[in-house]
Amino acid sequence: MRRALRNRRIVVTRPEAQAEEFCSQLRAAGACPIRFPTIQLAPIPDTRPLQRALEQLESFRWVIFTSVNGVVYTWRTLNRVWPQELKVAAIGPATAAALHARTVAVDFMPKEFRAERIATGLRMLDGGHVLLLRAERARPILADMLRARRVHVTEIAVYRTLTNRPPAAAYAALQKGVDAITFTSTSTVEGFTTVAEHPSRDTLVACIGPVTAQAARDHGYNVRAIAREYTTGGLLKALQEHFENP
């Protein structure tokens, strides 16, 4: 399987600041990653709601992080010691690792790395007050599911996703032909749709999970590989398996 991606030209649509890990994985597998960042991340202009919530952390029963970016941007505002007794949920291993790096213990992580799985996993949350730290345009399903169980949810957007137009060299690389386009979020799908021409039906589209895959299909992309583990490592494996057994 290590040879499956040899010399394959794989488009990476992640933000430039977050692309290197996946690009390194691709290079190690013999592929030629093409950086084509379709989105960029930015802080929320008004951080006062986040500041107020962080000052009152002890009033919450749980704090839920749904991405690494949520952790990163929260800590840019945090100016106090994190209360160790506070229960914390993380959507997946990368988010959990970001919290561990900041000496925060993770009390719950769902087996399937999707926001709604957090709600189904935290069955003990009947009532109580939860702080949900998320992207500005996050799907509402997690908060809706928690509120349906009488949980008081405080939702705060801690970062925003903006469409990014890649440099001219990235467009030139794209025009030389590619073997696959990868999407790691619904935002990367929307960004690519905005800034690039729609690829041919023959172009493989690989997605990090079913939510991203559905967004890609909704935009008319030919999704033929979906990671079973919703990480870049899982996405790499999905690509390898596809090209090993096309």
Side-chain angles (χ1 to χ4, degrees):
M1 188 175 292
R2 290 183 61 84
R3 299 180 180 179
L5 297 184
R6 181 170 295 177
N7 298 325
R8 298 285 186 181
R9 293 169 58 80
I10 310 296
V11 179
V12 177
T13 56
R14 302 194 87 186
E16 180 63 33
Q18 297 182 327
E20 182 52 36
E21 179 185 6
F22 189 33
C23 288
S24 295
Q25 292 172 332
L26 288 167
R27 284 193 292 267
C32 301
I34 298 170
R35 292 179 185 245
F36 197 86
T38 63
I39 59 172
Q40 58 180 318
L41 305 179
I44 295 295
D46 184 4
T47 62
R48 286 174 295 180
L50 177 59
Q51 290 171 350
R52 286 194 293 269
L54 295 177
E55 290 169 359
Q56 303 168 19
L57 282 174
E58 286 81 2
S59 67
F60 298 100
R61 187 174 178 186
W62 283 81
V63 178
I64 300 174
F65 291 92
T66 58
S67 70
V68 172
N69 299 318
V71 176
V72 171
Y73 281 94
T74 295
W75 255 257
R76 290 187 182 183
T77 300
L78 183 68
N79 59 5
R80 54 164 294 180
V81 175
W82 188 270
Q84 294 301 313
E85 67 278 6
L86 182 60
K87 296 289 188 181
V88 175
I91 195 170
T95 305
L99 288 162
H100 291 154
R102 292 162 173 82
T103 67
V104 174
V106 173
D107 299 283
F108 176 75
M109 184 181 74
K111 293 181 179 179
E112 185 182 1
F113 312 143
R114 297 174 65 172
E116 50 266 46
R117 296 296 180 258
I118 294 178
T120 56
L122 294 179
R123 298 187 183 280
M124 73 291 293
L125 272 179
D126 291 322
H129 195 175
V130 170
L131 176 60
L132 174 57
L133 301 174
R134 56 167 179 77
E136 184 179 47
R137 295 178 359 185
R139 295 185 303 140
I141 187 168
L142 173 55
D144 290 346
M145 290 177 69
L146 290 171
R147 289 185 177 118
R149 289 163 48 195
R150 304 186 308 279
V151 175
H152 181 190
V153 181
T154 295
E155 287 185 89
I156 297 181
V158 298
Y159 69 98
R160 62 199 316 190
T161 302
L162 307 174
T163 300
N164 177 69
R165 187 170 182 83
Y171 283 93
L174 204 65
Q175 291 171 358
K176 290 180 181 178
V178 302
D179 293 290
I181 298 171
T182 62
F183 294 124
T184 54
S185 67
T186 57
S187 297
T188 59
V189 175
E190 293 164 0
F192 190 90
T193 302
T194 300
V195 302
E197 292 183 5
H198 202 290
S200 71
R201 291 288 299 176
D202 294 332
T203 303
L204 166 69
V205 170
C207 295
I208 202 166
V211 174
T212 303
Q214 187 57 55
R217 292 191 186 100
D218 290 344
H219 283 83
Y221 295 107
N222 184 17
V223 179
R224 288 184 284 156
I226 304 174
R228 288 191 291 271
E229 179 180 311
Y230 312 152
T231 63
T232 55
L235 184 54
L236 175 69
K237 186 174 181 180
L239 285 166
Q240 290 173 318
E241 290 175 348
H242 174 84
F243 285 114
E244 184 77 16
N245 301 290

